[in-house]
Amino acid sequence: MSKYKSIRSAGSGFSIFIEKRTIWISVVLLVLTIGIMIVSTGMGSLYISPISVIKVLLGIGEPTHQVVVEKLRLPRIVIATLVGSSLAVAGAVLQGVIRNPLASPDVAGITEGASLGAVLFIFLLGGTVPLQWMPIASILGALIVTGLLYILSWKRGVDPLRLVLIGIGLSAAIKSISYMFIISGPMQLAERSLTFMTGNIYGVSWDKDVIILLPWVAILLPLTWLQARSVNIQALGDDTASSAGAHVQRQRLILIMLSVALAGAAVAIGGAIAFIGLMAPHMARKLVGSSFGSVLPVSALLGAIILLVSDLAARTLFLPKDVPAGVLTAAIGAPFFMYLLYRNRNRY
């Protein structure tokens, strides 16, 4: 009995094989994600039991619970799920394309570039251009940083370790520029911009945040998954992939653009939440192996779980204060990054 499940589309010639083990793990993680979403929705200064949360979602809950769940907490939970999934998939793509386990949007400076794009949008266009265009500004900032990163890292090719080290330095430089705008601007705009630097999903709403981010994630995640085979081929090396008929440079450019777009859209709403794109793909590979078609959906679910749990801890452990979720992801991710550096110290 085969351990793979074939998914084919009629007429288009597209097909992909997924391990049945991956399907089961994905189902378990999906159920766990939904469970955490329900529990997290009920946690806060006013505790609402999971049963009461489910009743609200079915439209039969108490009016007080309905206001708290639907208006205040559920948008935040949905945003945490979308942002965590996007950052995790963006990190998985970078690690697969660059073939570097240390790569992620925040380590490479892409997150900071997206944050700078959002900060500039707030300061220069916030009062005249609708917020729906802010993801475009974030993606443009991320694209500019990605291009600059490749130029600075190029020396008869892009060395993986050089790219990470230059990305760390570039990230620090861009963050200082963002802080310069924050310090020099009006207090109201500065406070709003600071959320992008700390990674905070406090105060999100359906119309201003969820509706803006949801189309980006709904389109970009499936498009990225459809490119899974090209990442598996590139893992064999450029020469081998080219001899197998793959258009290496074109596919690599498409994948990097998808990764940048996912990270930029997520940062535009959730801010510079760090290390999810680094941790989730490593955890996914431990569960399902290195096949990119398996790593992507598991990474997305793990990224959502990491941010959901971090946000739950951030807003409940320090009441009445609401600590930014990015603070906790950084506290967890920084030691994980140092561990990866130590484990790969003899690799390069």
Side-chain angles (χ1 to χ4, degrees), residues 11-334:
S12 66
F14 171 80
S15 65
I16 191 168
F17 287 92
I18 302 179
E19 283 189 272
K20 292 180 180 178
R21 175 170 171 249
T22 300
I23 296 175
W24 284 111
I25 290 175
S26 298
V27 170
V28 171
L29 289 175
L30 178 60
V31 172
L32 180 60
T33 302
I34 295 173
I36 295 173
M37 291 175 70
I38 293 173
V39 172
S40 181
T41 302
M43 300 295 289
S45 57
L46 173 64
Y47 174 74
I48 303 174
S49 68
I51 299 298
S52 298
V53 172
I54 294 174
K55 287 182 178 179
V56 170
L57 296 178
L58 294 176
I60 57 176
E62 297 179 14
T64 303
H65 292 171
Q66 186 172 0
V67 172
V68 173
V69 170
E70 294 182 354
K71 301 295 183 182
L72 301 178
R73 294 183 185 171
L74 196 55
R76 182 169 181 165
I77 302 303
V78 173
I79 284 294
T81 304
L82 296 176
V83 170
S85 300
S86 300
L87 292 175
V89 170
V93 170
L94 285 179
Q95 290 175 14
V97 171
I98 302 174
R99 298 193 293 274
N100 186 340
L102 304 178
S104 70
D106 42 289
V107 174
I110 296 174
T111 298
E112 298 302 336
S115 297
L116 179 59
V119 169
L120 289 175
F121 178 90
I122 292 171
F123 273 79
L124 301 179
L125 303 173
T128 57
V129 179
L131 286 176
Q132 286 82 352
W133 292 97
M134 191 159 66
I136 300 293
S138 292
I139 292 171
L140 288 175
L143 283 172
I144 293 172
V145 171
T146 303
L148 184 60
L149 178 63
Y150 256 77
I151 292 173
L152 295 176
S153 304
W154 188 270
K155 186 179 181 182
R156 296 187 297 275
V158 176
D159 178 76
L161 183 59
R162 186 190 305 120
L163 186 142
V164 170
L165 293 176
I166 292 177
I168 293 172
L170 193 60
S171 177
I174 294 172
K175 183 180 289 187
S176 66
I177 297 174
S178 297
Y179 277 125
M180 182 186 69
F181 276 97
I182 292 174
I183 293 171
S184 61
M187 181 61 66
Q188 182 180 0
L189 294 178
E191 290 179 357
R192 186 177 176 189
S193 299
L194 193 59
T195 61
F196 292 96
M197 308 305 297
T198 56
N200 192 359
I201 56 175
Y202 171 78
V204 295
S205 62
W206 291 109
D207 55 342
K208 293 183 179 179
D209 301 285
V210 176
I211 297 301
I212 294 175
L213 181 59
L214 184 59
W216 290 89
V217 177
I219 293 172
L220 292 174
L221 283 185
L223 285 178
T224 306
W225 188 69
L226 291 176
Q227 298 294 321
R229 289 186 299 179
S230 66
V231 179
N232 292 329
I233 294 175
Q234 290 185 34
L236 303 174
D238 290 1
D239 294 337
T240 304
S242 298
S243 63
H247 301 282
V248 176
Q249 297 302 326
R250 185 180 68 187
Q251 291 171 345
R252 182 171 295 162
L253 177 62
I254 292 173
L255 285 163
I256 291 176
M257 293 286 285
L258 287 170
S259 176
V260 169
L262 279 169
V267 170
I269 303 300
I273 297 175
F275 292 114
I276 290 179
L278 179 69
M279 294 186 290
H282 281 277
M283 297 167 65
R285 283 191 289 270
K286 287 290 185 182
L287 291 174
V288 297
S290 58
S291 175
F292 197 69
S294 299
V295 168
L296 261 190
V298 176
S299 294
L301 291 169
L302 286 171
I305 290 172
I306 291 172
L307 188 51
L308 282 169
V309 173
S310 298
D311 182 59
L312 175 60
R315 63 185 174 86
T316 57
L317 294 181
F318 307 97
L319 288 173
K321 294 183 179 179
D322 195 321
V323 178
V327 173
L328 289 192
T329 61
I332 300 170

